[in-house]
Amino acid sequence: MSYLPIQQLLKTAQIGTDVTVKGWVRTKRESKNAVFIALNDGSTINNIQVVAEAGQLPEETLKLITTGACLSVTGQLVASQGAGQAIEVKISAVTIYGPADPDKYPLQPKRHSLEFLREIAHLRPRTNTFSAILRIRHALAFAVHKYFNDNGFFYLNTPIITASDAEGAGEMFRVTTLDATKPPLTEEGNVDYSQDFFGRETNLTVSGQLEGELGALALGKIYTFGPTFRAENSNTTRHLAEFWMIEPEVAFNDLEDNMNLAEDFVKTVIRYALQHCADDLAFLDNRLKEEEKTKKKEEQSELGLLEKLQFVISNEFVRLTYTDAVEILVNSKPAKKGQFQYEVSWGVDLQSEHERYLVEKHFKKPVILTNYPRAIKAFYMKLDEESSTTPGQTVRAMDVLFPGIGEIIGGSQREDDFDKLVARMHEVGIEPEALWWYLDTRRFGSAPHAGFGLGFERLVLFVTGMGNIRDVIPFPRAPKTAEF
Amino acid sequence: MSYLPIQQLLKTAQIGTDVTVKGWVRTKRESKNAVFIALNDGSTINNIQVVAEAGQLPEETLKLITTGACLSVTGQLVASQGAGQAIEVKISAVTIYGPADPDKYPLQPKRHSLEFLREIAHLRPRTNTFSAILRIRHALAFAVHKYFNDNGFFYLNTPIITASDAEGAGEMFRVTTLDATKPPLTEEGNVDYSQDFFGRETNLTVSGQLEGELGALALGKIYTFGPTFRAENSNTTRHLAEFWMIEPEVAFNDLEDNMNLAEDFVKTVIRYALQHCADDLAFLDNRLKEEEKTKKKEEQSELGLLEKLQFVISNEFVRLTYTDAVEILVNSKPAKKGQFQYEVSWGVDLQSEHERYLVEKHFKKPVILTNYPRAIKAFYMKLDEESSTTPGQTVRAMDVLFPGIGEIIGGSQREDDFDKLVARMHEVGIEPEALWWYLDTRRFGSAPHAGFGLGFERLVLFVTGMGNIRDVIPFPRAPKTAEF
């Protein structure tokens, strides 16, 4: 029995034709003359209404048509008499694939808290909010691949299990097949990892960047898009133990090119979502408006979700150095009135409150900060030249800051000089031997190059307007959380 | 200094214009009158020739222009005098970004063995063979996303770290942050995983299918495309400890729909590669022909690489049941002459030699085998109906078999009946409680559905004609192998 997904049916529907629709019951409503069933198959936020005359369906069938039940319905597509939909299906036959006992099915047609839905993450994609989020997540992921493919980048799958522990991007998870209770030990009493699966200690990757650089210095333009891991015990609305990261890396790009790429990239994928997810975004825009109404006036955001997305794609990002940003912050009203929780001075890592002040109050635009102090950035970032205003003190780093969310992208031009890179490694306590393969790219055919990383869930969080990062990934992983 | 990647330059080149090209030296050749440098930037298998007059470049510059060095060259695009290329660049200025000491750089312009290149996987993307493989790998990955996006599927990121160990697809890697030497123990002397990061024992996923089914029974059509892991101690040319898997799952599909999807999918992505990777495939086709020449006549394959790809996209896949296949095999010449290493009879798992006989000798077409004995297939596959020829004995499984490679896709219609599924779990020793969330999809709004899995590296292996799976992933992970 061939049938069309509801998304296609609503677009191509021809009144008067016979159709089959399949999906899950969202609501059932009975009037004196008829039964109205809202059916959704996940292809769109929009339901299709299927209608039976009163008495048409046997009582035992009708009893099984409850919220969550899965049906196949055949009938004629007709213009709807009721408000809220243009067309509906006049039922001629119903098959019940699977009922959903209303006494046990947890998703009833009422408002469930996001906390509750997190506990039933295996079922929450059946709700309007989460199906909208997942469709938008898909569209954004596709837009990412499309953007890079259109622009001559090659997708590079960097390793997930890695023996390299020198990146310093965060705490790592150990990957092992050794006996957990009685691991083999060396004579010194340490675990003998030579007997482990890989013959050495291995961990889950925190970033594909270093391997990405190998790729860029061979293929020119590459990007990664894969899972990365942080074993940090942080139970916040902004952190996950497992998240997806996008990391483009481009040979011959400098910091300026890198900024241009980041701005064009993030605008293009947001524009794609606006074009391809209009219904889902309208739903979430409305959801956010309702939520905002429950807040105090002064805590409500100035912009709605759609306005915020338009704001980002239609404004040129402000670009300024860290040094200039610190000056603005030091002279700002909140600094003078002592309203910042953390004090600002040249050399400190900016806090979220500072980033948000710059974006939301001072410039009222997305901001790219550059040329950060070397002491607060990673070893692989290129030192600023003698000709810069802060020679040797700063690195060619960039952070892209967004309203509401703070840092969404972090990147840099990379140090391509072998000697300077080795010196920096010594400075931060990394053994050059441990990264011999990384250094080989500077030893042989080195080239200027630059790249950045964007946490995919941060992007989805921004585009969906959700408040907790655990709500924008299907099955969140966090401390004490690994269900499903 | 704006410049074009060589791939674009070769396509859009206008004789007489000034251009800048950047890339790595593949070869340098000096004649009496000129120096010819073949430059490659990874954007294409094709080099651009840059030419200096004899004496034009200072000796110290010329000395640094060796295989592997990275250059930026500016000059006029002219019609080439020599054979082998239509255009070349007449050098007016050269910048050497990074030299490559010919006494130390391991990639010299000669034939390196694949074994040697595996040891320098960080540099091998700079070779013709591996850059071609990686560009094709990219094109196939993009074709996968494009196919599913075009057909209304949503990309679902199923979890990498999982507490579920009931899938039975293979040995797993443990993920932990516990002290390796002195893990906390329970009173019984077992490791106390309640103190581990996730509060329980966790592993790397072997498949996203079970979570994929949750997605399909909410969003209709989903697919996964992410890393999966097997801790099996198999050092073969067909196995990796870390590999990328593609797993579509579709609500309302039966076995027939599943076969149609698999055939259309794999043909579409191979067709995409043929259309978008013509130069790289021609190179690998030629590479394979050279390799075949070194083999004995009887070991040479009948088809070249391009012919094999054409063969797959232009033939309808043969579909037959396992039962019929066993009958063919039992009555085959090799069976009667005792030439199969493993004997065939109804109920055994078919070996590679049997699959290849069916595909390469008997049908001479890709084959889809269906309705396998339940005893050799996974618990979640749908039992065949009473109406089938083997009621209750077989399941609605399918394996797609390809020439040379054997099984490339495995899938099934899923058991959607709660009671039958629970009975099968008991049968194979899985505690239903451990998969309560999976069973919930059958408890609430169950629906017919089907899906399959395709190991991405198997596909890349097939399309590139390579012989070892470690050569089609950038950084292979295998027993005792986790470099880079």
Side-chain angles (χ1 to χ4, degrees):
Chain A
M1 187 158 37
S2 151
Y3 81 103
L4 281 182
I6 293 169
Q7 190 265 344
Q8 275 174 269
L9 186 77
L10 293 175
K11 261 207 318 219
T12 62
Q14 296 219 338
I15 300 286
T17 55
D18 278 332
V19 297
T20 297
V21 291
K22 302 181 182 193
W24 290 268
V25 175
R26 283 291 160 86
T27 55
K28 181 178 71 173
R29 186 167 54 82
E30 294 182 69
S31 78
K32 209 174 59 185
N33 301 319
V35 184
F36 304 93
I37 303 160
L39 217 56
N40 187 289
D41 66 1
S43 64
T44 159
I45 192 94
N46 302 303
N47 303 326
I48 183 125
Q49 176 159 288
V50 300
V51 186
E53 283 170 33
Q56 185 193 339
L57 300 178
E59 201 50 46
E60 56 271 30
T61 302
L62 207 53
K63 234 171 53 193
L64 291 176
I65 300 178
T66 57
T67 295
C70 188
L71 313 183
S72 172
V73 171
T74 301
Q76 202 184 21
L77 206 61
V78 297
S80 179
Q81 308 295 312
Q85 62 280 321
I87 54 166
E88 60 190 26
V89 176
K90 233 180 107 185
I91 295 179
S92 60
V94 175
T95 306
I96 295 174
Y97 286 133
D101 183 346
D103 293 334
K104 293 181 183 157
Y105 187 55
L107 284 176
Q108 293 305 317
K110 58 163 196 158
R111 203 172 177 80
H112 296 289
S113 75
L114 295 173
E115 290 73 22
F116 170 71
L117 292 173
R118 243 167 262 149
E119 286 168 26
I120 52 164
H122 64 307
L123 295 174
R124 67 181 182 174
R126 296 185 182 186
T127 64
N128 282 333
T129 299
F130 284 92
S131 66
I133 293 168
L134 290 175
R135 282 187 298 267
I136 292 167
R137 188 181 162 106
H138 160 76
L140 287 169
F142 186 71
V144 168
H145 287 293
K146 185 175 177 341
Y147 179 85
F148 288 122
N149 184 68
D150 288 350
N151 287 283
F153 287 68
F154 302 108
Y155 182 41
L156 189 80
N157 291 126
T158 50
I160 310 299
I161 299 172
T162 169
S164 141
D165 60 354
E167 299 162 40
E171 291 295 308
M172 301 206 280
F173 289 103
R174 200 163 67 252
V175 175
T176 180
T177 57
L178 290 179
D179 186 302
T181 326
K182 293 193 195 72
L185 299 178
T186 61
E187 283 182 17
E188 295 81 37
N190 298 319
V191 172
D192 182 6
Y193 285 112
S194 74
Q195 296 187 44
D196 207 346
F197 187 90
F198 294 108
R200 56 204 295 179
E201 189 174 351
T202 50
N203 297 289
L204 290 178
T205 185
V206 293
S207 157
Q209 182 201 312
L210 301 191
E211 290 91 353
E213 288 185 52
L214 306 180
L217 292 172
L219 299 169
K221 301 182 190 184
I222 66 92
Y223 71 106
T224 74
F225 187 175
T228 50
F229 305 86
R230 302 282 156 88
E232 270 144 38
N233 200 2
S234 43
N235 256 311
T236 78
T237 58
R238 290 276 180 271
H239 293 89
L240 290 166
E242 170 181 316
F243 58 100
W244 287 67
M245 186 105 107
I246 297 152
E247 295 178 288
E249 191 73 36
V250 186
F252 313 121
N253 265 11
D254 62 16
L255 184 61
E256 179 85 18
D257 302 321
N258 207 30
M259 287 191 276
N260 294 342
L261 177 66
E263 181 167 346
D264 186 50
F265 164 68
V266 74
K267 282 178 170 174
T268 304
V269 299
I270 292 174
R271 198 177 297 119
Y272 182 94
L274 281 164
Q275 282 164 356
H276 290 81
C277 306
D279 291 349
D280 288 322
L281 285 171
F283 175 84
L284 291 176
D285 183 62
N286 196 50
R287 184 192 161 279
L288 200 61
K289 285 205 175 80
E290 294 297 321
E291 204 183 79
E292 288 289 304
K293 281 185 198 159
T294 67
K295 292 184 184 169
K296 286 184 220 151
K297 194 105 196 173
E298 60 271 26
E299 285 172 11
Q300 291 177 14
S301 41
E302 286 175 36
L303 298 178
L305 177 60
L306 290 169
E307 290 165 326
K308 200 177 58 171
L309 299 179
Q310 285 295 346
F311 167 86
V312 165
I313 62 171
S314 51
N315 276 295
E316 268 195 35
F317 296 3
V318 175
R319 300 175 184 194
L320 77 164
T321 65
Y322 167 91
T323 302
D324 290 346
V326 166
E327 200 175 316
I328 290 171
L329 288 166
V330 164
N331 295 315
S332 69
K333 245 193 220 162
K336 292 188 168 162
K337 289 190 174 174
Q339 287 166 340
F340 285 138
Q341 203 187 331
Y342 297 88
E343 218 175 309
V344 191
S345 63
W346 200 96
V348 305
D349 214 350
L350 298 184
Q351 300 295 319
S352 176
E353 58 180 346
H354 308 134
E355 295 175 345
R356 294 188 61 172
Y357 173 81
L358 292 169
V359 173
E360 293 162 31
K361 304 290 174 190
H362 188 83
F363 291 111
K364 292 183 184 283
K365 281 183 191 175
V367 169
I368 310 183
L369 290 189
T370 63
N371 307 84
Y372 281 79
R374 60 191 281 180
I376 59 170
K377 288 288 182 185
F379 73 94
Y380 47 70
M381 297 188 176
K382 191 171 177 64
L383 281 176
D384 271 317
E385 312 276 336
E386 292 306 313
S387 60
S388 77
T389 54
T390 47
Q393 294 175 273
T394 51
V395 288
R396 302 187 59 96
M398 63 169 210
D399 280 2
V400 181
L401 311 179
F402 263 28
I405 209 159
E407 184 197 325
I408 191 160
I409 287 177
S412 74
Q413 186 173 344
R414 316 307 187 184
E415 184 56 77
D416 52 347
D417 183 283
F418 181 85
D419 294 328
K420 286 185 189 164
L421 186 57
V422 169
R424 276 289 279 157
M425 289 170 83
H426 283 305
E427 219 175 274
V428 301
I430 295 173
E431 273 305 316
E433 287 72 31
L435 289 179
W436 65 273
W437 47 272
Y438 181 65
L439 284 169
D440 264 8
T441 54
R442 275 63 167 180
R443 210 175 258 127
F444 306 119
S446 188
H449 61 289
F452 60 81
L454 174 145
F456 184 52
E457 282 74 18
R458 288 270 174 101
L459 176 67
V460 184
L461 203 58
F462 182 74
V463 173
T464 59
M466 299 300 290
N468 189 322
I469 203 157
R470 297 187 194 191
D471 293 334
V472 299
I473 188 167
F475 306 98
R477 297 297 183 242
K480 307 291 171 205
T481 302
E483 282 285 355
F484 318 110
Chain B
M1 186 161 35
S2 154
Y3 81 104
L4 281 182
I6 293 169
Q7 190 265 343
Q8 274 174 268
L9 186 76
L10 293 175
K11 263 208 315 219
T12 61
Q14 297 220 339
I15 300 288
T17 54
D18 278 333
V19 296
T20 297
V21 291
K22 304 183 181 191
W24 291 268
V25 176
R26 284 290 160 85
T27 55
K28 181 179 70 172
R29 187 167 54 82
E30 294 183 66
S31 78
K32 210 173 58 187
N33 302 319
V35 185
F36 303 93
I37 301 160
L39 216 58
N40 187 289
D41 67 359
S43 65
T44 160
I45 191 93
N46 302 304
N47 303 325
I48 184 123
Q49 177 160 284
V50 300
V51 186
E53 284 170 34
Q56 183 193 340
L57 300 178
E59 201 51 47
E60 56 271 30
T61 301
L62 207 55
K63 235 173 52 193
L64 292 176
I65 299 179
T66 59
T67 294
C70 189
L71 314 183
S72 173
V73 172
T74 301
Q76 201 184 21
L77 205 60
V78 298
S80 178
Q81 308 295 311
Q85 62 279 323
I87 54 166
E88 60 190 27
V89 176
K90 234 179 108 186
I91 296 179
S92 61
V94 175
T95 306
I96 295 175
Y97 285 132
D101 184 345
D103 294 334
K104 293 182 184 156
Y105 187 55
L107 284 177
Q108 293 305 317
K110 59 164 197 157
R111 203 172 177 77
H112 296 290
S113 75
L114 294 174
E115 290 73 21
F116 170 71
L117 292 173
R118 242 167 264 151
E119 286 167 25
I120 51 163
H122 64 307
L123 295 175
R124 66 180 183 174
R126 296 184 182 188
T127 64
N128 283 333
T129 299
F130 283 93
S131 66
I133 293 168
L134 290 175
R135 282 187 297 268
I136 292 168
R137 189 181 161 104
H138 161 75
L140 286 169
F142 186 70
V144 168
H145 286 294
K146 184 172 175 348
Y147 179 85
F148 288 122
N149 184 68
D150 288 349
N151 287 283
F153 288 68
F154 301 108
Y155 183 40
L156 189 79
N157 291 127
T158 50
I160 310 299
I161 298 172
T162 167
S164 141
D165 60 354
E167 298 163 42
E171 291 294 308
M172 301 206 279
F173 290 103
R174 201 165 62 253
V175 174
T176 179
T177 57
L178 289 180
D179 186 302
T181 328
K182 295 194 194 74
L185 300 177
T186 61
E187 283 182 17
E188 296 81 36
N190 298 317
V191 171
D192 183 6
Y193 286 111
S194 73
Q195 295 187 45
D196 206 346
F197 188 90
F198 294 107
R200 54 205 295 180
E201 189 175 352
T202 50
N203 297 289
L204 290 178
T205 184
V206 293
S207 157
Q209 183 201 311
L210 301 192
E211 290 90 354
E213 288 185 52
L214 305 180
L217 292 173
L219 300 170
K221 301 182 189 185
I222 66 91
Y223 72 107
T224 74
F225 188 175
T228 49
F229 305 85
R230 302 282 156 88
E232 269 144 38
N233 200 2
S234 43
N235 255 311
T236 78
T237 58
R238 289 276 181 273
H239 293 90
L240 290 167
E242 171 181 316
F243 58 100
W244 286 66
M245 185 104 107
I246 296 152
E247 296 178 287
E249 191 74 36
V250 185
F252 313 121
N253 265 11
D254 62 16
L255 184 60
E256 179 87 18
D257 301 320
N258 207 31
M259 288 192 275
N260 294 342
L261 176 66
E263 182 167 346
D264 185 51
F265 165 68
V266 74
K267 283 178 169 172
T268 304
V269 298
I270 292 174
R271 198 176 298 118
Y272 182 94
L274 281 164
Q275 283 165 355
H276 291 81
C277 305
D279 291 350
D280 288 322
L281 285 171
F283 175 84
L284 292 177
D285 183 62
N286 196 51
R287 183 192 163 278
L288 200 61
K289 284 204 175 80
E290 295 296 323
E291 203 183 80
E292 288 289 304
K293 282 184 196 158
T294 67
K295 291 184 185 169
K296 287 184 218 150
K297 193 104 194 171
E298 61 272 25
E299 285 172 12
Q300 290 177 15
S301 41
E302 286 174 36
L303 297 178
L305 177 60
L306 290 169
E307 290 165 326
K308 201 178 58 172
L309 300 179
Q310 285 295 347
F311 166 86
V312 165
I313 62 172
S314 52
N315 275 295
E316 268 196 32
F317 296 4
V318 176
R319 300 176 183 193
L320 77 164
T321 65
Y322 167 91
T323 302
D324 290 345
V326 166
E327 199 175 317
I328 291 170
L329 288 165
V330 164
N331 295 315
S332 69
K333 248 193 218 161
K336 290 186 169 161
K337 288 187 173 175
Q339 287 166 341
F340 284 137
Q341 203 187 331
Y342 297 88
E343 218 174 310
V344 192
S345 63
W346 199 96
V348 305
D349 215 351
L350 298 185
Q351 299 294 321
S352 176
E353 57 179 346
H354 309 134
E355 295 175 345
R356 294 187 60 172
Y357 173 81
L358 292 169
V359 173
E360 293 163 31
K361 303 291 173 191
H362 187 83
F363 290 111
K364 292 183 183 288
K365 282 183 189 174
V367 169
I368 310 182
L369 290 190
T370 62
N371 307 84
Y372 281 79
R374 61 190 280 179
I376 59 170
K377 287 289 181 184
F379 74 93
Y380 47 71
M381 297 189 176
K382 189 171 177 64
L383 280 178
D384 271 316
E385 311 277 335
E386 292 306 312
S387 60
S388 78
T389 55
T390 47
Q393 293 175 272
T394 50
V395 289
R396 301 188 60 103
M398 63 168 209
D399 280 2
V400 181
L401 312 179
F402 263 29
I405 210 159
E407 184 197 324
I408 191 160
I409 287 176
S412 74
Q413 186 172 342
R414 316 308 187 184
E415 184 56 76
D416 52 347
D417 182 282
F418 180 86
D419 294 328
K420 286 184 188 167
L421 185 58
V422 169
R424 276 288 280 158
M425 290 171 83
H426 282 304
E427 218 174 276
V428 301
I430 296 172
E431 272 305 316
E433 287 72 32
L435 290 178
W436 64 272
W437 47 271
Y438 181 66
L439 284 169
D440 264 7
T441 55
R442 275 64 167 179
R443 212 175 258 127
F444 306 119
S446 187
H449 61 292
F452 60 81
L454 174 146
F456 184 53
E457 282 75 19
R458 288 271 174 101
L459 177 67
V460 184
L461 203 59
F462 182 75
V463 173
T464 58
M466 299 301 290
N468 190 323
I469 203 157
R470 297 187 194 191
D471 293 335
V472 299
I473 188 166
F475 306 98
R477 297 298 181 243
K480 306 292 170 206
T481 303
E483 282 284 354
F484 318 112

